[in-house]
Amino acid sequence: MSGPSLMDSLFQRSLEDIIKGLRQQLIGEQAFISKALEEIRKEIKSTDLSTKSTALLKLSYLSNLHFHDLSFAAFHALEVLSSPRFSHKKIAYHAISLSFHDSTPVLLLITNHLRKDLNSTNEFEVSLSLQCLSRIANVDLARDLTPEVFALLSSNKLYLRKRAVAVVLRVFEKYPDSVRVCFKRLVENLENSDPQILSAVVGVFSELACKDPRSYLPLAPEFYKILVDSKNNWISIKVLKIFSKLAPLEPRLAKRVVEPICDLLRNTGAKSLLFECIRTVVTSLSEYESAVRLAVGKVREFLVDEDPNLKYLGLQALRIVAEKHLWAVSENKEVVIKSLSDGDPNIKIESLRLVMAMVSEHNVSEISRVLVNYALKSDPVFCNEILGSILSTCSRNLYEIIVDFDWYVSLLGEMSRIPHCQTGEEIENQLIDIGLRVKDVRPELVRVARDLLIDPALLGNSFLHSVLSAAAWASGEYVEFSRNPLELMEALLQPRTSLLPSSIRTVYIQSAFKVLVFCLHTCFVRGGSIVASASLNNLPAGVSASVSYESFDEFSVENGADASVVHGQTCASAPITKESIVNLLNLVELALGPLLGSHDVEVQERARNLLGFIDLTKPEVLNSAVQEKDDSEGKGVETSKIIKLMHDAFSKELGPVSLSAQGKVSLPDGLKLKENLGDLEMICGDLEPPSSNAFSFGSSYEQKDGLSFSNLQIKEDSEQTNESTSLLAEHRKRHGLYYLPSGKSELVSNDYPPANDPILQGDIDDNADNLVKLTAESLVPKRKSNHGKPRPVVVKLDEVDEKHVAMKKPESRDDSLSGAVRDVLFGCEDVPPTLSQSNLSNKLSSKRKGKEKQHTDPHAESKENVIDDGNSSLRRKDRSHGKERRHRSPRKKNAEERKETNQKEKEKSRRHHGRHKSRQRAEEPLKVSAQTPVIPDFLL
Amino acid sequence: MIHFVLLISRQGKVRLTKWYSTYSQKERTKVIRELSGVILTRGPKLCNFVEWRGLKVVYKRYASLYFCMCIDPDGNELEILEIIHHYVEVLDRYFGSVIELTSLIICRKAYYILDEILISGELQEPGKRTIVRAVAAQDSLVETVKEQTGSISTIIAQASK
């Protein structure tokens, strides 16, 4: 038994050997590591502690840098920990703090080791175990070791005391009840003159205050003293962090600290402290104009500094200021705009955010113009960053800042044509959303959609497919605003649509359906172009004149004979003639015929719907086309009935749907949603399981049709390609979309150049200075008195939406901890909110004085509390006392507010209740946590 | 507070990791892969801060090593830069002006020094001399123990012959 272990220890490879071996890499890293791990697994079982510890050391090295699992060695680490030797302990603690977590099974066994070492006379051992505790403490450990940590909090060895202070943070977090024990001593350490201790304590409080600042307001005098007296920058930074949390809660405190902070701002040489001061002022003291001015001045120094770090931080600070003081940004706008072309992507993004912060309804179009031009020239990542921020800013609060929706819709169209654009989905959503919400913009929307649809090059860009889907939908839904529905139809059915994913093809087909119905309806039911205005009655008068059905180009009637006509210039005013309708029907049949064999069910189904409709109507249409005059009354009636029916079906307006719409639907009588469905089984029992059913069906289907199907597919494919090339040529010819010299490769290559060649757009000057000039006027908040037209109505479903947002607001935080802290600091205040205030007013008298004393001296107070802990009767008096105080104080928030917050708190605590049984005790004071705590008078 | 400290070489090799927040082994690998991808590709004259998963990572390059620390979004970046510099200076002082952390023994000592500087993600010891002294004192503790074990194992070795 001792033999192999001895050999192991003699010939064991040390950590150094491993590292050397790894660096030489004779047999490859992975192989070497797995070999070493094998050795370690053997060695770690050795009974010799040195061997074991060396193995553990090697293992933790590998785990640390090569991420090999250490968990199998958890128990061995504990064994090494029990060694009396310091070097072993050190290795063990290192491994433990590296690998242990809350669910490590042997965590329970470590308590005694830690306790022993915490009581050790060797301060380094104590320090090791403290360090370990700070990393691995869970509820049990924190609870069991609280007394030891408490003792160390007043250790006369500074080295240990500051560590104990740091560990307290973790202990509090895990076991809030420890606050009752340790808090007093922690506070006492705030008055320690030693900078190390002070730094540790302030660090702990700055972390605590992050989670729940309100509880620490009573300690403000101590923090204030440190702020004024401290000569150590690191301490000052942390105190500033605390004040930036406390100041917004208590205006008197803000007033008090603003001067010392400004002094620091003026006098400090350390950039880190300076930055912290700036941030404190801009986040928490933004009401103090002079302080903000001072801070912004310093920010300006940061912005023009050579150091990119300072520049970045300056921009960040500016962004915080921008929320309340926009002037600060416009004062520095040159720098901001210039930073858009900085070499550092982080700085670019930061300045972009700032630019977006400056956007208002007066300058949104100028800024967007500049940014879109900028996006054209920048790298893909930043380009999309720009586009994304334009989209999100403009759509904020239901397009709050957009006045001219026509402009915005065309901007969206333009953005989707930017070569690197990958924000298709957002553009899609916005296009549809705007279409639904803003009635007045629909004509422009259809125009933009048409431009997008008609360009075959866009179909090749898969990022744009979602935009195209929106365009197709919009042009189908609002086809009545189209200048030229027939042209639209051709765009929807153009050959390159085969490049679209089937989900979007279905949208195309459906839109084609709508367009077709519309055309037929205008032609037959309305009897041509004369009655067009009837459907336009919801348009502004000016628009309806230009939008009508007269604008039907002749070249779509006579197939491409006149290709040289620049399309879109609707010079001829031909009505939708029967002849053109016949052509249209033929076109649809030609384009959709192949789709009947499509693999996608949706595509197939919709194509079939459309073709079925054509089958239904075509004979009549042909009839009437040939013998127009004879038959307008007879058979035509049937057809026009169908057409009218379809048209009515499609012309019902779709509206935006509120997020919480489902909630508004009342439950119909007799519908039971929460019934037990157990007895369904009985009913379903005699049915065959549906899955097997479907399966057998599927297989038989495959057997029958599999062969012919694949054959068909091949045939169809080849047909399609032939067809598509010829159709494509025709399509191009008709719309004058030639990118390549005709004849040469037109029929061969299907590749288009990108829609927007960046070089073409390159005439925008690259110079950043120019950009500055461009925006120079636009960033100045100016009043543009004459908007082209009043802002159109945007359909809102607001109240519901807002509520939805508001519901999310209350954040969960470390309730039990803050509850405990509050309990200690002003435990006297925890009165259940149900107690009526008037009840208590007579009780106060003499005790009031005691209360005052408590507040001027938090230690005394907390001491009293510790004593009180067991004594409930005394406590109760104290409570009523606090209540009284609150009642009296003139500066308290009004009662309604308090009630509201109380309500919230109650709800929160209720939610917590079920979950953490162990914390129930700490939760108790929570219910009353909403009051404003009292600030000692000497501060005021 | 500081969530973790990483030392990564220019080639992307990890030299030191220290985690103050809980990350599983898998997450740790992922974090390092992500961050070294972001940080190592950044050019020399850019700012030292990176936004990452809602947190901020402050990094600085010394020789061929990147020192990275991850902090909360409201943490003070410049302060962290100072802490990094502080750490480097202590290392420098302890090892006698050799910042070649890739060499052998240092890697273990670097942890111990870091432990002196930071506890639970907070700066502990701003004095360089105290840190060096504390580490040296612990070293001497380890050394004496080592000597003992050395002698014991030689005795055993002789005895077993």
Side-chain angles (χ1 to χ4, degrees), chain A residues 717-882:
Chain A
D717 273 359
S718 63
E719 253 176 35
Q720 218 168 0
T721 46
N722 269 344
E723 212 168 59
S724 66
T725 39
S726 61
L727 277 173
L728 177 63
E730 206 172 56
H731 180 80
R732 281 184 193 166
K733 227 199 270 172
R734 192 173 301 163
H735 298 289
L737 291 164
Y738 286 104
Y739 296 101
L740 297 168
S742 62
K744 191 177 148 201
S745 59
E746 194 191 54
L747 292 182
V748 186
S749 111
N750 242 1
D751 288 331
Y752 286 85
N756 256 342
D757 208 350
I759 303 157
L760 286 177
Q761 308 277 349
D763 47 344
I764 306 140
D765 207 320
D766 266 43
N767 213 329
D769 294 332
N770 212 354
L771 261 177
V772 176
K773 228 188 290 166
L774 259 170
T775 46
E777 314 100 54
S778 61
L779 296 185
V780 184
K782 61 179 178 186
R783 285 271 147 207
K784 228 203 265 174
S785 52
N786 50 342
H787 290 302
K789 48 186 168 180
R791 187 170 189 267
V793 184
V794 181
V795 181
K796 290 183 187 175
L797 303 155
D798 255 345
E799 3 96 71
V800 203
D801 290 359
E802 264 165 31
K803 230 181 250 167
H804 199 73
V805 175
M807 292 268 284
K808 286 183 193 160
K809 246 184 192 168
E811 288 158 27
S812 66
R813 45 170 193 197
D814 205 351
D815 287 323
S816 47
L817 172 57
S818 47
V821 170
R822 228 169 264 161
D823 207 21
V824 171
L825 272 177
F826 25 83
C828 30
E829 293 207 14
D830 41 6
V831 189
T834 44
L835 268 180
S836 90
Q837 296 185 1
S838 55
N839 270 354
L840 299 157
S841 50
N842 52 349
K843 275 196 190 173
L844 102 125
S845 63
S846 68
K847 284 201 178 145
R848 173 109 208 250
K849 272 174 205 161
K851 179 72 184 173
E852 297 277 0
K853 209 182 100 213
Q854 276 182 17
H855 278 289
T856 44
D857 185 359
H859 317 311
E861 178 198 357
S862 43
K863 227 178 276 173
E864 196 173 307
N865 247 323
V866 174
I867 300 162
D868 278 1
D869 238 326
N871 190 341
S872 59
S873 69
L874 221 153
R875 185 96 172 262
R876 211 171 301 128
K877 275 183 202 162
D878 249 346
R879 281 181 183 177
S880 53
H881 198 40

Side-chain angles (χ1 to χ4, degrees), chain A residues 238-436:
Chain A
K238 282 174 183 157
V239 173
L240 282 172
K241 274 193 203 307
I242 297 176
F243 275 118
S244 72
K245 296 286 183 306
L246 297 189
L249 301 174
E250 180 53 67
R252 291 170 297 170
L253 184 63
K255 200 174 160 197
R256 184 87 183 192
V257 293
V258 91
E259 255 324 293
I261 292 180
C262 285
D263 284 345
L264 271 180
L265 254 180
R266 280 186 212 103
N267 302 326
T268 182
K271 288 280 189 273
S272 55
L273 182 55
L274 183 60
F275 178 62
E276 197 59 48
C277 289
I278 291 174
R279 195 156 53 182
T280 308
V281 168
V282 296
T283 47
S284 309
L285 303 169
S286 52
E287 297 90 61
Y288 296 87
E289 190 78 17
S290 63
V292 174
R293 286 226 170 259
L294 186 63
V296 170
K298 294 286 180 188
V299 167
R300 196 176 173 78
E301 286 172 27
F302 273 28
L303 287 177
V304 296
D305 202 287
E306 287 293 297
D307 187 353
N309 287 339
L310 296 185
K311 196 169 180 181
Y312 176 79
L313 294 178
L315 288 170
Q316 258 191 354
L318 215 50
R319 183 152 58 98
I320 304 172
V321 189
E323 286 163 20
K324 284 177 186 154
H325 301 274
L326 207 57
W327 54 264
V329 189
S330 25
E331 269 180 17
N332 295 300
K333 62 176 183 296
E334 288 91 0
V335 192
V336 173
I337 299 280
K338 256 187 198 146
S339 310
L340 271 181
S341 48
D342 198 280
D344 188 339
N346 289 355
I347 291 184
K348 282 205 279 193
I349 287 178
E350 204 56 45
S351 60
L352 174 65
R353 285 176 187 162
L354 258 182
V355 171
M356 291 331 281
M358 286 188 271
V359 169
S360 69
E361 60 176 16
H362 307 293
N363 57 18
V364 59
S365 68
E366 284 96 336
I367 290 185
S368 303
R369 167 80 20 235
V370 171
L371 286 178
V372 167
N373 286 339
Y374 200 82
L376 278 169
K377 298 179 296 183
S378 50
D379 56 306
V381 178
F382 192 54
C383 169
N384 282 304
E385 200 74 41
I386 292 179
L387 296 183
S389 56
I390 294 179
L391 287 173
S392 62
T393 309
C394 290
S395 63
R396 200 173 46 208
N397 271 345
L398 295 176
Y399 315 98
E400 173 179 67
I401 54 170
I402 306 289
V403 174
D404 184 356
F405 276 92
D406 287 357
W407 162 79
Y408 185 57
V409 168
S410 57
L411 179 77
L412 286 178
E414 205 175 311
M415 275 160 66
S416 57
R417 285 164 180 269
I418 291 175
H420 300 303
C421 170
Q422 290 171 15
T423 46
E425 275 174 33
E426 180 59 28
I427 297 181
E428 174 195 12
N429 291 340
Q430 294 199 8
L431 280 176
I432 292 180
D433 196 40
I434 291 176
L436 291 174

Side-chain angles (χ1 to χ4, degrees), chain B residues 36-55:
Chain B
S36 53
V38 174
I39 289 173
L40 297 182
T41 50
R42 281 174 66 82
K45 282 190 178 170
L46 308 181
C47 68
N48 295 112
F49 318 124
V50 178
E51 282 179 33
W52 173 78
R53 293 201 202 162
L55 300 172

Side-chain angles (χ1 to χ4, degrees), chain A residues 516-525 581 585 613 617 621 643:
Chain A
L516 180 68
V517 168
F518 174 77
C519 290
L520 290 173
H521 186 256
T522 3
C523 184
F524 292 102
V525 179
I581 291 286
L585 291 177
F613 177 70
T617 49
V621 172
I643 294 171

Side-chain angles (χ1 to χ4, degrees), chain A residues 5 8 42-49 51-52 79:
Chain A
S5 130
D8 278 350
K42 229 187 287 165
E43 288 163 9
I44 209 163
K45 290 184 187 124
S46 151
T47 47
D48 178 32
L49 274 179
T51 313
K52 208 189 254 294
E79 285 178 321

Side-chain angles (χ1 to χ4, degrees), chain A residues 6 10 15-16 19-20 23 25 29 50 57 61 63-65 67-70 85-87 90-91 94 97-98 101 122 124 131 134-135 159 162-163 166-167 196 199-200 203 207 210 232 234 237-238 241 245 271-272 275-276 279 302 308-310 312-313 316 343-347 350 353, chain B residues 1 13-23 25 28-29 32 42 45-51 56 72-79 81-83 86 102-105 107-108 111-112 115-116 118-120 122-126 130 134 137-138 141-142 145 148-149 152-153 156-157 160:
Chain A
L6 188 65
L10 279 179
L15 174 61
E16 284 72 26
I19 298 174
K20 263 183 206 152
R23 305 197 89 200
Q25 292 202 344
E29 192 179 281
S50 327
L57 178 63
Y61 173 80
S63 154
N64 224 329
L65 301 191
F67 306 104
H68 286 283
D69 196 13
L70 198 60
R85 284 190 198 139
F86 180 70
S87 57
K90 202 161 183 177
I91 291 168
H94 185 63
S97 55
L98 182 65
H101 46 89
N122 181 344
F124 295 115
Q131 211 128 39
S134 79
R135 187 65 209 83
Y159 184 75
K162 67 180 181 192
R163 277 173 165 65
V167 171
Q196 299 178 23
S199 156
E207 289 294 326
C210 273
N232 182 320
W234 270 320
I237 288 175
K238 282 174 183 157
K241 274 193 203 307
K245 296 286 183 306
K271 288 280 189 273
S272 55
F275 178 62
E276 197 59 48
R279 195 156 53 182
F302 273 28
N309 287 339
L310 296 185
Y312 176 79
L313 294 178
Q316 258 191 354
D344 188 339
N346 289 355
I347 291 184
E350 204 56 45
R353 285 176 187 162
Chain B
M1 84 176 252
K13 293 263 182 222
V14 186
R15 295 299 180 200
L16 180 147
T17 58
K18 182 85 191 173
W19 310 86
Y20 296 103
S21 303
T22 314
Y23 290 88
Q25 203 72 278
R28 291 178 185 181
T29 328
I32 294 200
R42 281 174 66 82
K45 282 190 178 170
L46 308 181
C47 68
N48 295 112
F49 318 124
V50 178
E51 282 179 33
K56 282 193 285 203
D72 287 321
D74 61 347
N76 188 324
E77 292 93 337
L78 295 174
E79 183 195 13
L81 274 182
E82 282 173 16
I83 292 179
H86 179 60
T102 46
S103 73
L104 314 176
I105 312 149
C107 76
R108 187 165 21 139
Y111 281 104
Y112 300 152
D115 282 346
E116 293 295 321
L118 300 172
I119 288 193
S120 60
E122 292 289 334
L123 177 72
Q124 279 309 301
E125 183 50 73
T130 20
Q138 296 183 45
L141 264 178
V142 174
V145 171
Q148 285 169 11
T149 55
I152 291 168
S153 64
I156 297 172
S160 64

Side-chain angles (χ1 to χ4, degrees), chain A residues 151-169:
Chain A
L152 286 170
L153 273 179
S154 57
S155 159
N156 46 19
K157 289 178 182 156
L158 289 184
Y159 184 75
L160 293 182
R161 202 200 282 195
K162 67 180 181 192
R163 277 173 165 65
V165 167
V167 171
V168 157
L169 182 62

